[in-house]
Amino acid sequence: MPFIHPVQDIVVDSANKQVYIVIKNTIVVYRFIDGEYKQVGKWVDTYKLDELEEQNKRKKAKNNAGEAVATTKKEIPIAEALSLNSNIRSLKTFNQGKAIVTCTDSNKGIAIFDVDLQNTENCLTLRKREQFAKRPNAITLTDDENVILMADKFGDVYSINTQGEPYDEKIMGERKPILGHVSMLTDILFKKSTSNNKDFVITTDRDEHIKVSNYPHSFVGDKWLFGHNEFISSIVSPEWKSQWLVSAGGDDSIFLWDWEVGKLLSTFNYTDLIQSQLTDKHLAAARFQNEKKNAIEYCVAKLSTLKSLPYVAFYVEATKILFILAVHSEKGTFSLKQTLDLPANIISLTQNEDIFSVSLDNHESGDKGFVKVIKFDSNTNSFIVDEFLSQNLDKTITTT
């Protein structure tokens, strides 16, 4: 049955010619076989459906002003309960593509899968699920890929072994975080210092903080990176300059840091670039509006960088422009390389090797325009959409 919802996330594993897409509570895997993508795996999160339905019946609705409004008493079907509570987020591959990990909203946890790269029927096997007290917001893996670090909405970070049995839910409350913030965490990275080979965890929160902590003794903080005035939504650290960190969020600039020495190198202000893309969707909620009712709010939703090429891509929520910045490795500065005007608003942005992948809000375009694969063309010295791969994926998604 073809999917009727936009793709929430797309992860490309080019080494194994596989693509993972996430649509609501479903993971689908496609593999490039005989010149086209074919579905080789699928997993649907059906965790505790009855409990989800009951929770939804008790939910209180609010209007744009934050005021409670009356709700109907009709029963909420399973499909709708899943759509509200069972989203899958932050999918990552590891172990040379033989495993994936993802956040599952249904049980406020993470799920780890084995991936059989030879299986063409269903390559996904759920290895284990781990449940937490608060919903995970972001995950990363240590360099040896033996430990997953999870940042949650309460402000804590937990470590989970990729092997072994799941943590017993009966003693879940005894699980101790390895570090914490005083507000909701938004992103997390594991990094190794180029100067002393020590390991660190970098975390961000909605109160404009970037914290660098030692690992595994993460209760020992190393430094803070101060400079943001608004919340931080995304951080990346390029492989081609691993002592650098790029951050963005509610500020009107992209920040470039040397995280090892704790220095802000430069910023790139994108205010003028985004003005033409702002619509009524960016009007602030009523409780945050000014007297003229024209206050707008926007933020960078996601940053991404390539493996070997010195570029950083980002997009602003509820817009269809992908911005690509050149990063000057000697000066430590940004410059605008290119803007790509895509056919619909961008939902997600990911990277594999030297390829960007985006998913689009195609609900008004019918059965086309789910994803775009973007690569650097050395002949034109510019980024282009790989129409062959993009159209092939669209065709496969709509017919499987």
Side-chain angles (χ1 to χ4, degrees), residues 72-90:
T72 61
K73 297 295 184 179
K74 68 176 183 179
E75 292 188 0
I76 299 178
I78 289 178
E80 188 173 342
L82 281 171
S83 70
L84 292 172
N85 292 291
S86 295
N87 286 335
I88 296 171
R89 297 175 291 110
S90 302

Side-chain angles (χ1 to χ4, degrees), residues 118-293:
Q118 305 303 316
N119 190 322
T120 58
E121 297 298 322
N122 192 355
C123 64
L124 295 178
T125 301
L126 180 63
R127 183 193 304 171
K128 69 174 182 177
R129 301 187 75 164
E130 294 275 4
Q131 186 174 3
F132 299 88
K134 299 296 180 180
R135 182 171 291 120
N137 270 352
I139 53 176
T140 190
L141 288 103
T142 56
D143 282 351
D144 59 14
E145 298 186 336
N146 290 327
V147 176
I148 299 164
L149 301 175
M150 184 278 290
D152 72 14
K153 68 180 296 184
F154 190 70
D156 292 327
V157 173
Y158 294 88
S159 63
I160 309 99
N161 291 327
T162 56
Q163 305 296 327
E165 295 298 318
Y167 206 85
D168 190 343
E169 291 186 21
K170 295 180 180 179
I171 57 175
M172 183 180 62
E174 300 178 13
R175 188 198 296 268
K176 302 297 182 182
I178 64 171
L179 70 91
H181 288 226
V182 294
S183 64
M184 182 177 72
L185 294 177
T186 55
D187 212 348
I188 183 170
L189 287 178
F190 179 87
K191 294 298 298 180
K192 185 180 291 292
S193 172
T194 59
S195 59
N196 56 26
N197 212 40
K198 290 184 178 180
D199 294 332
F200 295 88
V201 180
I202 304 177
T203 46
T204 64
D205 64 33
R206 66 178 179 182
D207 288 336
E208 78 267 351
H209 299 134
I210 302 177
K211 183 179 182 181
V212 182
S213 306
N214 290 277
Y215 183 85
H217 305 295
S218 305
F219 52 86
V220 180
D222 183 70
K223 64 176 69 71
W224 296 84
L225 305 180
F226 293 114
H228 281 275
N229 294 314
E230 300 290 344
F231 65 90
I232 301 159
S233 58
S234 183
I235 53 174
V236 292
S237 181
E239 292 188 42
W240 38 266
K241 200 82 168 181
S242 62
Q243 68 268 37
W244 284 3
L245 180 78
V246 185
S247 61
D251 292 286
D252 55 10
S253 295
I254 312 297
F255 290 67
L256 178 62
W257 311 81
D258 185 325
W259 68 265
E260 292 193 21
V261 300
K263 180 181 179 181
L264 177 62
L265 301 178
S266 63
T267 61
F268 178 87
N269 189 293
Y270 64 88
T271 303
D272 292 339
L273 296 174
I274 201 63
Q275 293 305 308
S276 63
Q277 300 299 312
L278 301 179
T279 67
D280 289 346
K281 294 181 179 179
H282 298 94
L283 288 173
R287 58 187 180 275
F288 301 122
Q289 269 297 346
N290 56 25
E291 293 182 357
K292 295 182 179 181
K293 307 297 182 182

Side-chain angles (χ1 to χ4, degrees), residues 329-346:
S329 57
E330 298 299 326
K331 300 178 181 179
T333 58
F334 294 115
S335 65
L336 180 63
K337 170 65 176 178
Q338 188 175 345
T339 59
L340 289 175
D341 191 351
L342 299 174
N345 288 346
I346 302 172

